[in-house]
Amino acid sequence: MFSKTALILLAFISVAYSQTDDEESFLFVTKQTVNRFIVQGKELTIKYGLYNSGPTTVFNVNLNDVHSYPSKYYELLVGTLNPKWERINAGTNLTHVVVLKPKESGISNSSHAIVTYQKSEKNTEVQRTYSSEIGDVYIMTGREYDRRFSSHVIDWILFTAMASPCIVFPFFLWFNSKRKYELLASKDKTTKKAQ
Amino acid sequence: MFRVVLAALAIIALVNGETCESPEFKVNSHSTRDARLTAESAAQLEITVKCKNGKQPGTLYADINGQVVPCAQTPAAPGKYFIGVAANTHKELASGRTKIKLYDDDSYSALRKARTEDATKAVKPFGQVELNHPGVSYGPWLPSEFFAVCTFGLVWWAAYRERSKILG
């Protein structure tokens, strides 16, 4: 009799534990850039989206992306590449924004960010997940970007300066001769009138 | 009796010492400004909190567009809190100053317990910061080529007029 209840109790406990295993939370991390073009010397904005699917809170979330953007090639302007959150509740959709400035041009690869978190406050077992990656990107030089998008005012001023001798010199010649002939014509008039 | 009073005072002092009083916020706000370089808008706030009694608030939560999310911190710079806001299009991120309410642990738990809208509104936030987004620019209104064409057009027209006078 006692063993039967013990068995039933054991069965209940095992089912309960297995159920909590199915209802675990998982943290999805996406990593994207909002830039259309990545230009050397201009801002590169990276957006990390964290989404806690699942019914429970995750604790001690740590995102580490320092290895993707070494300070030798990227300057950190805004934000941090190593943020941490103490808790992220179920169903929360978080964004973390980092602004960098590439120092060099060429092809660059940025890999996944590593995210570690704990499923419960007491259980210190650390879960590790990886964000999506942006992959290989082409960082264009400042000159390439300016050729397409800058306002070209200086270019036009230089062009005007170079084109002006072609226009001003003949104009000057014509103007001088016009003035000379007008003077002659007015002198003729006055002499004719005098006659 | 005296010991009880002392214990009570100690507890009061401990409780007062743990929470942050009259916080001052220093905000560094940054947002995407160039609409030709970026396809979507994103903004980031770096908040440094200074409390009168020197304590740090612990975790801060921010109310962004109705959703209350925790603020990020970094081990490299304790005392700095980061809030990120992302928008799918440039228009979705409102330009100008947007107020963002901040909650600390106590006010956040009060907010979670509130069930009705009135109760939610009645929760006093820890503080409020502003996100200043000057707006995105699509480039100059009139491109420089327009002015170049106008200038050279004027020159040509003046010359053509004189030529017509001479010939006509």
Side-chain angles (χ1 to χ4, degrees), chain B residues 30-47:
Chain B
H30 175 93
S31 50
T32 48
R33 302 286 311 279
D34 194 340
R36 297 171 299 171
L37 186 66
T38 60
E40 303 167 6
S41 269
Q44 175 86 336
L45 283 170
E46 277 183 23
I47 305 175

Side-chain angles (χ1 to χ4, degrees), chain A residues 41-77:
Chain A
K42 289 212 183 289
E43 293 175 354
L44 164 63
T45 307
I46 307 241
K47 188 172 75 164
Y48 298 93
L50 288 93
Y51 176 57
N52 180 0
S53 70
T56 59
T57 313
V58 294
F59 298 90
N60 212 357
V61 183
N62 217 306
L63 190 153
N64 195 330
D65 206 15
V66 179
H67 54 274
S68 290
Y69 302 108
S71 55
K72 186 169 153 219
Y73 298 110
Y74 293 91
E75 189 190 327
L76 181 64
L77 295 173

Side-chain angles (χ1 to χ4, degrees), chain A residues 34 36 47 79 84 89 151, chain B residues 35 37 39-40 46 73 108 144:
Chain A
V34 302
R36 269 192 252 259
K47 188 172 75 164
K84 66 176 171 80
N89 290 328
S151 65
Chain B
L37 186 66
E40 303 167 6
E46 277 183 23
Q73 295 174 267
Y108 182 63
S144 55

Side-chain angles (χ1 to χ4, degrees), chain B residues 51-109:
Chain B
C51 298
K52 256 203 193 141
N53 50 357
K55 290 276 178 183
Q56 286 298 312
T59 327
L60 276 184
Y61 299 84
D63 180 358
I64 299 172
N65 296 334
Q67 214 198 11
V68 183
V69 292
C71 302
Q73 295 174 267
T74 180
K80 258 199 183 173
Y81 298 86
F82 301 92
I83 305 174
V85 183
N88 281 336
T89 61
H90 287 299
K91 287 208 171 71
E92 274 182 29
L93 190 64
S95 61
R97 290 180 181 273
T98 321
K99 291 199 199 301
I100 294 180
K101 293 197 203 116
L102 292 175
Y103 297 93
D104 67 342
D105 286 318
D106 298 329
S107 38
Y108 182 63
S109 44

